[in-house]
Amino acid sequence: MNISYKWLKEYVDFELTPQEVCDALTSTGLEVDALEEVQSIRGGLKGLYVGKVLTCDIHPNSDHLHVTTVDLGRETPSQIVCGAPNVAAGQKVIVADLGCVLYDGDKEFVIKKSKLRGVESCGMICAEDEIGVGTSHDGIIVLPEDAPVGQPAAEYYNLESDWLIEVDITANRADALSHWGVARDLYAWLRQNGYKTSLHRPDCSSFVVDNTDLPIDVEIENTEACRRYACLSITGCEVKESPEWLQNKLKVIGLRPINNIVDITNYIMMAYGQPLHCFDADMVAGHKIVVRTQPEGTKFVTLDGVEHSLGAHDLSISNAEEPMCIAGIFGGKGSGTYDTTTNVVLESAYFHPTWIRKSARRHGLSTDASFRFERGIDPDGVIYALKQAAIMCKELAGGKVSMEIRDEYPMPISPAKVSLKYDYVNSLIGKEIPETTIKDICESLEMKILGEDAYGLEIEIPAYRVDVQRPCDVVEDILRIYGYNNVEIPTQLKSCLVVKGDEDMKHRLADTVSEQLVGCGFNEILNNSLTKGAYYDERNIFKTENCVRIMNPLSTDLNVMRQTLLFGGLESIEHNAKRKNGNLRFFEFGNVYHFSPERKNEDNPMAAYSEDNHLALWITGKRVEGSWAHPDEDSTFYELEAYVENIMRRIGVQPGMTVRKKSDNDIFSSGIVIENRGGKKLVEMGVLGKKILKTADIDAPVYYAELSWTALMKVIRKNKVLYNEISKYPAVSRDLALLLDNSVEFAAIEDIARQTEKKLLKKVELFDVYEGKNLPEGKKSYAVNFILQDETKTLNDKQIDAIMNKLITNLKNKLGAELR
């Protein structure tokens, strides 16, 4: 939510700096993410000045260029070549001085000294659209004679900067989705902290009905989905460009001005949190509005030209013949306001949040209006917003209110009532707060005190606070205004002794591995457990049917729980790569979630769901770059494999405890799986496929490994850490060159070797692979090294030969191996 510092000051009196306002809002729970100085005109007209054209001559080498000298209030006039047809001596103009930055859409360019057709030019005489004060490009700006020469353009146009406060509104704080909502919280904080302040907004005393020439009838068929609906008509409107002050307000918070009527509705929404919609009254057939659902399959085209199919679960605003709007979400094509519109109908309503949320997700539509409706707006603010919009329409469009407000409110929403005990407040906060302070904070938050005794208060919660329904909610509100930092840390800590268990070991090892990875140049990332369901479409391992789905997702990008850590990391890689940071090593510890339809059980609804802790590693880009001591070197899969093996060794998983197999997971172009002897998957790693990378808009190869931390902890649960002296007896190395079928993998050789000799075989390594000339067709040669060692004595030739012969025999019998 973008908040204008100056706009905020229209509703609450304060002398705080923008940074102090940010600190205050953050302390109340409205966390400020960013503070930025902004201008309604990009660049703030810096480097632009009022100048006077002293001379204007035809360019010697051009028919349409002029060579001018311009007085900028300095000792020496500036020579400027100008191509505008209306430039003339004696004019007051706007000049972009050398070094001035001008903007053309997303592009920017700097005014430099240059030569145009051989004549030096030291600046630029500007048109309206070139500096952002208008849209005309017919010629340069010609100012009145009294314009002061040398005056900065920002001063001439009375351009003042504002501060944009970006507030991260949590899902429960729908009441703060407006300047007025934020002002209420700031007002309560100011009162609590001893500042002299007041809270105020425009009244509606100037609202009057001019005539009843255009009455609109209203009928609510679905009173569950639409709890309140109000409208009025305004005739004789002139749809035109909004005044500069209104355009500037919208531009500062990131909204594009459209026309005066639409801008008024957007202004009201951002000011007071009530979304409005405006219809062309001539499009309201029968002069009747019906709020209802539509027959299944009803075709409806929205303002953006996209056709949607409406049904019994979509609330629509209809005229006597057809739908005009998807209620609370998007207007229909032809029902808005245009340059030819003269009569409008303003709508202000309260729709049930669940209906709006489901319809918005179903149709893939998300608007500022739906964002507010689906979180819950103030049902008592409907009429106020409608009256304020009508007053502005009369002022800015010259219209007349042509009907009494039609307000259909069949089932009024009663505000919540809470019984709050002082002892409960103090026990929950952990500090005794004076009763007068509790009462004052409640009143500053517009909570009505219905009754009071020695033990507590009876409170009526304002209707716009949809998140405050219980005593604990009221305590939370009291504490955020009182100040979390004002609750002292106790001097005593009461605790009990506990015995370390599996969870403690799990977290200790996770910290150890994290430090190890950071030491290897990795950065830890943390991604959302909610992710996009589309990631799992047409996957052979991570299947759509195994997703844990969110019942009422806020968006299609956050509609399932993640089955793998992969996609969050790819989003992080994409984000970095697009900012020229391509050499990346990431790791993340996080939970993954799985739904097994075959385990669904009515008696135990949770039986079909599982949750595991995983560790994931991503490597991409160059392993070494720009080093004087080492040539540039790309990252490889073998680098990733080494990191994984080091992690497993660090936590106590020895090579003989695992088996390697080829991965069939379609996220990899090639990969391997490491399992325990019981067939439980511990690690899966490989080179990510090009299709996955293309989806994530990543060009470079990415190497990915995902370790099941939960499974690894079970494998090492009974491991005992023993310290042994380095053996004084030597190890023995033996090499075998084996001729095998092309289909045989090294993992099979290693597995047979470890089954053959479990005690004395310490290491099995592949050091060469050969295919091609002098080998039979369909064959390849593996050169394998075996390390044997007895830690109690020196091995003799007889023992060594016996082990190697047994190993050769098993390889021949099980793999068809031949010695070369």
Side-chain angles (χ1 to χ4, degrees):
M1 175 68 191
N2 290 333
I3 297 294
S4 160
Y5 173 79
K6 287 186 175 180
W7 196 342
L8 193 63
K9 294 192 77 169
E10 295 179 13
Y11 303 130
V12 58
D13 298 328
F14 61 85
E15 297 300 328
L16 303 179
T17 65
Q19 184 58 56
E20 288 172 336
V21 171
C22 293
D23 295 339
L25 293 178
T26 298
S27 72
T28 66
L30 301 180
E31 183 180 357
V32 174
D33 185 59
L35 174 65
E36 178 187 1
E37 187 176 10
V38 294
Q39 296 88 18
S40 55
I41 297 176
R42 188 178 179 188
L45 301 182
K46 292 180 181 178
L48 293 158
Y49 301 92
V50 175
K52 181 177 182 180
V53 181
L54 301 177
T55 64
C56 180
D57 301 315
I58 297 295
H59 193 292
N61 301 317
S62 173
D63 294 335
H64 67 280
L65 295 178
H66 294 82
V67 180
T68 68
T69 54
V70 183
D71 179 12
L72 293 176
R74 300 165 188 168
E75 291 184 5
T76 306
S78 299
Q79 178 173 287
I80 299 175
V81 177
C82 180
N86 64 327
V87 65
Q91 291 175 335
K92 296 289 184 68
V93 294
I94 295 293
V95 176
D97 200 8
L98 295 177
C100 174
V101 179
L102 297 181
Y103 302 91
D104 181 12
D106 294 332
K107 299 179 182 179
E108 60 180 50
F109 58 94
V110 180
I111 302 299
K112 300 177 181 178
K113 185 184 293 186
S114 60
K115 284 190 176 182
L116 298 177
R117 299 283 183 93
V119 177
E120 188 177 74
S121 181
C122 300
M124 174 179 169
I125 304 176
C126 302
E128 286 184 356
D129 63 333
E130 290 170 333
I131 64 173
V133 298
T135 59
S136 173
H137 195 70
D138 295 336
I140 59 170
I141 302 168
V142 179
L143 303 177
E145 280 294 325
D146 59 354
V149 173
Q151 183 181 34
E155 292 182 14
Y156 179 80
Y157 285 105
N158 295 316
L159 184 69
E160 296 180 6
S161 64
D162 196 355
W163 290 88
L164 184 67
I165 303 171
E166 186 178 332
V167 183
D168 288 340
I169 305 294
T170 52
N172 63 316
R173 292 301 308 277
D175 63 290
L177 288 171
S178 66
H179 284 75
W180 174 245
V182 172
R184 286 185 299 226
D185 266 19
L186 182 59
Y187 166 74
W189 183 90
L190 290 166
R191 275 187 51 172
Q192 172 59 27
N193 287 273
Y195 291 91
K196 186 177 180 180
T197 184
S198 63
L199 185 68
H200 44 78
R201 64 177 180 179
D203 60 33
C204 298
S205 58
S206 61
F207 174 81
V208 292
V209 177
D210 299 299
N211 56 59
T212 56
D213 294 346
L214 186 57
I216 302 293
D217 192 19
V218 174
E219 180 184 352
I220 302 177
E221 289 187 2
N222 190 323
T223 55
E224 176 197 350
C226 180
R227 305 293 297 274
R228 187 175 192 178
Y229 191 93
C231 73
L232 57 76
S233 63
I234 302 176
T235 59
C237 294
E238 182 186 358
V239 178
K240 58 183 179 180
E241 192 175 81
S242 295
E244 186 177 355
W245 69 266
L246 179 54
Q247 291 192 47
N248 288 343
K249 277 182 178 291
L250 297 178
K251 286 177 183 177
V252 164
I253 61 173
L255 292 182
R256 179 176 63 88
I258 298 173
N259 61 51
N260 53 354
I261 302 298
V262 175
D263 292 349
I264 287 168
T265 62
N266 285 332
Y267 171 84
I268 295 295
M269 177 173 63
M270 293 303 177
Y272 310 117
Q274 173 67 49
L276 302 177
H277 191 72
C278 51
F279 300 101
D280 187 322
D282 297 333
M283 300 293 180
V284 183
H287 288 179
K288 182 176 182 179
I289 290 177
V290 184
V291 187
R292 63 187 177 197
T293 56
Q294 297 292 328
E296 198 67 40
T298 300
K299 301 301 179 184
F300 179 74
V301 180
T302 46
L303 282 168
D304 56 1
V306 177
E307 184 178 83
H308 298 266
S309 180
L310 305 184
H313 299 291
D314 297 310
L315 188 67
S316 69
I317 310 300
S318 306
N319 56 34
E321 300 172 358
E322 59 184 357
M324 301 184 295
C325 174
I326 303 177
I329 302 173
F330 219 131
K333 188 175 182 180
S335 65
T337 54
Y338 305 92
D339 293 342
T340 56
T341 300
T342 56
N343 303 323
V344 300
V345 176
L346 291 178
E347 163 197 287
S348 182
Y350 179 92
F351 301 114
H352 196 289
T354 303
W355 276 76
I356 302 302
R357 182 167 59 249
K358 287 183 175 180
S359 279
R361 301 301 169 268
R362 188 177 301 112
H363 295 287
L365 296 171
S366 180
T367 61
D368 286 330
S370 67
F371 187 81
R372 286 158 176 77
F373 278 125
E374 64 190 30
R375 284 161 174 77
I377 63 167
D378 181 10
D380 295 338
V382 169
I383 300 302
Y384 175 83
L386 190 60
K387 287 183 176 179
Q388 286 296 320
I391 292 169
M392 292 184 68
C393 283
K394 292 176 70 173
E395 292 176 354
L396 305 184
K400 295 184 179 297
V401 177
S402 297
M403 64 175 284
E404 296 287 346
I405 292 178
R406 182 66 184 268
D407 182 19
E408 292 293 317
Y409 199 5
M411 295 183 292
I413 298 172
S414 301
K417 293 180 175 59
V418 173
S419 179
L420 186 69
K421 302 300 181 185
Y422 295 130
D423 288 345
Y424 176 75
V425 175
N426 296 329
S427 64
L428 206 58
I429 292 177
K431 177 182 180 178
E432 188 169 335
I433 296 178
E435 296 173 5
T436 54
T437 301
I438 294 173
K439 185 177 178 181
D440 186 59
I441 291 175
C442 289
E443 289 177 335
S444 69
L445 290 171
E446 299 186 350
M447 297 179 185
K448 187 177 180 181
I449 308 297
L450 301 178
E452 180 182 5
D453 57 26
Y455 302 101
L457 304 170
E458 294 296 324
I459 301 172
E460 181 178 279
I461 309 299
Y464 61 79
R465 289 307 304 274
V466 295
D467 61 318
V468 180
Q469 304 291 318
R470 304 164 297 171
C472 61
D473 298 329
V474 178
V475 175
E476 181 184 359
D477 255 19
I478 292 171
L479 182 54
R480 67 185 182 83
I481 300 301
Y482 180 76
Y484 289 94
N485 293 334
N486 293 326
V487 179
E488 296 82 3
I489 298 175
T491 56
Q492 292 181 332
L493 178 64
K494 299 179 181 179
S495 63
C496 59
L497 295 176
V498 295
V499 179
K500 285 187 176 181
D502 292 342
E503 282 298 309
D504 297 283
M505 181 181 72
K506 171 184 169 183
H507 293 303
R508 178 177 59 80
L509 288 176
D511 287 342
T512 299
V513 169
S514 296
E515 291 175 0
Q516 176 178 320
L517 289 171
V518 170
C520 293
F522 279 78
N523 286 296
E524 185 172 10
I525 59 175
L526 182 64
N527 288 294
N528 200 337
S529 295
L530 298 177
T531 188
K532 188 188 302 184
Y535 283 144
Y536 303 97
D537 293 344
E538 300 179 2
R539 299 259 168 255
N540 69 341
I541 299 295
F542 304 118
K543 300 179 180 179
T544 301
E545 56 265 31
N546 297 127
C547 289
V548 178
R549 297 194 170 276
I550 306 301
M551 294 180 66
N552 294 311
L554 289 177
S555 73
T556 53
D557 287 343
L558 300 171
N559 60 349
V560 300
M561 305 290 284
R562 62 187 177 190
Q563 291 189 56
T564 171
L565 302 178
L566 169 65
F567 299 108
L570 290 181
E571 290 174 0
S572 299
I573 290 174
E574 179 195 8
H575 181 83
N576 278 269
K578 287 182 176 179
R579 287 155 181 80
K580 306 302 181 183
N581 184 24
N583 302 330
L584 303 169
R585 289 176 176 80
F586 287 151
F587 77 94
E588 179 179 10
F589 279 97
N591 290 343
V592 297
Y593 309 86
H594 188 84
F595 173 69
S596 303
E598 68 277 4
R599 296 173 59 185
K600 201 168 182 179
N601 188 333
E602 292 184 2
D603 297 330
N604 183 11
M606 297 304 296
Y609 298 91
S610 60
E611 177 182 1
D612 287 309
N613 191 236
H614 281 202
L615 164 63
L617 283 70
W618 297 261
I619 296 177
T620 186
K622 292 189 178 295
R623 177 174 173 269
V624 180
E625 184 178 41
S627 171
W628 65 270
H630 195 292
D632 288 1
E633 181 181 331
D634 291 332
S635 296
T636 65
F637 168 75
Y638 303 104
E639 181 187 351
L640 174 71
E641 185 180 24
Y643 290 129
V644 171
E645 289 183 351
N646 288 340
I647 290 171
M648 296 179 70
R649 290 287 182 89
R650 186 69 179 264
I651 65 176
V653 179
Q654 300 302 320
M657 301 167 65
T658 60
V659 177
R660 293 187 173 216
K661 296 181 179 179
K662 186 177 181 180
S663 172
D664 61 351
N665 195 329
D666 62 353
I667 67 172
F668 297 119
S669 59
S670 60
I672 60 174
V673 174
I674 301 177
E675 299 177 348
N676 65 7
R677 292 291 175 181
K680 178 70 174 178
K681 185 190 296 183
L682 303 178
V683 181
E684 192 165 17
M685 57 183 169
V687 184
L688 290 176
K690 291 184 178 179
K691 188 176 180 181
I692 287 278
L693 297 180
K694 185 176 180 181
T695 303
D697 198 16
I698 298 172
D699 297 328
V702 177
Y703 308 100
Y704 175 69
E706 187 158 353
L707 296 78
S708 174
W709 201 248
T710 301
L712 286 168
M713 293 302 101
K714 290 179 180 178
V715 168
I716 65 170
R717 182 186 300 164
K718 296 182 180 179
N719 282 10
K720 292 183 179 180
V721 179
L722 301 175
Y723 296 88
N724 296 323
E725 291 183 7
I726 297 175
S727 177
K728 61 183 178 181
Y729 301 103
V732 177
S733 176
R734 290 290 185 269
D735 297 337
L736 292 178
L738 303 171
L739 189 64
L740 296 152
D741 291 338
N742 279 334
S743 60
V744 177
E745 297 179 353
F746 171 70
I749 298 173
E750 183 181 16
D751 190 41
I752 291 171
R754 294 197 180 279
Q755 291 179 22
T756 301
E757 178 53 58
K758 297 180 179 179
K759 182 180 179 182
L760 302 180
L761 182 62
K762 301 301 182 183
K763 188 183 293 184
V764 183
E765 288 188 342
L766 176 68
F767 64 89
D768 188 39
V769 179
Y770 175 73
E771 294 180 82
K773 190 176 179 181
N774 298 327
L775 289 184
E777 187 176 350
K779 297 288 185 177
K780 62 183 174 182
S781 174
Y782 279 149
V784 187
N785 175 252
F786 302 89
I787 302 295
L788 303 172
Q789 186 179 32
D790 189 335
E791 297 182 1
T792 62
K793 61 182 180 181
T794 301
L795 290 171
N796 56 45
D797 291 342
K798 185 177 179 181
Q799 290 174 299
I800 296 169
D801 291 342
I803 293 170
M804 294 306 296
N805 289 334
K806 185 178 179 182
L807 178 57
I808 292 168
T809 300
N810 287 342
L811 290 171
K812 285 181 178 180
N813 294 337
K814 296 181 179 181
L815 298 179
E818 299 177 27
L819 290 179
R820 292 188 66 201

